[in-house]
Amino acid sequence: MVVGSNLGTTFTVVFAAFAGVGQDAKIGLQAAFVHLVYNFFAIVVIYVIPLLRPVPLFCAETLARIASEHRWVLAVYLGTFFIALPALVVVLVGVR
């Protein structure tokens, strides 16, 4: 279910990117396609290699266990992976 919804969301972003016009439309479409290809290949790699199948579940369970014991870990995780790293990528790539 999660895999299908994740891939479905990326397809929706690609369709929405086709509606863009102007200078930034090409960048938006490129970002949408990169996101789609990244998710597709991640799904293929995880499901084709049997050894990797339990890894996402193990990581999610471990993070949930640690975050339930130490609530600050969740704030650090969210701040790092959803705010700091994307901001760093934007700064390094120079997207305006």
Side-chain angles (χ1 to χ4, degrees):
M1 173 102 53
V2 172
V3 171
S5 64
N6 195 15
L7 202 56
T9 302
T10 56
F11 271 111
T12 304
V13 171
V14 170
F15 293 142
F18 277 118
V21 293
Q23 264 185 336
D24 295 334
K26 183 178 178 182
I27 295 171
L29 188 59
Q30 182 179 10
F33 273 118
V34 167
H35 193 84
L36 177 68
V37 170
Y38 176 80
N39 277 305
F40 178 76
F41 281 118
I43 291 167
V44 168
V45 166
I46 287 173
Y47 283 106
V48 169
I49 302 173
L51 182 67
L52 294 178
R53 289 180 192 160
V55 171
L57 184 60
F58 172 77
C59 291
E61 288 174 343
T62 303
L63 179 62
R65 183 179 41 77
I66 293 171
S68 68
E69 295 170 2
H70 307 285
R71 299 233 185 239
W72 61 269
V73 171
L74 184 58
V76 170
Y77 171 78
L78 291 174
T80 301
F81 289 101
F82 292 98
I83 297 172
L85 284 179
L88 180 65
V89 169
V90 168
V91 168
L92 291 177
V93 173
V95 176
R96 300 175 220 250

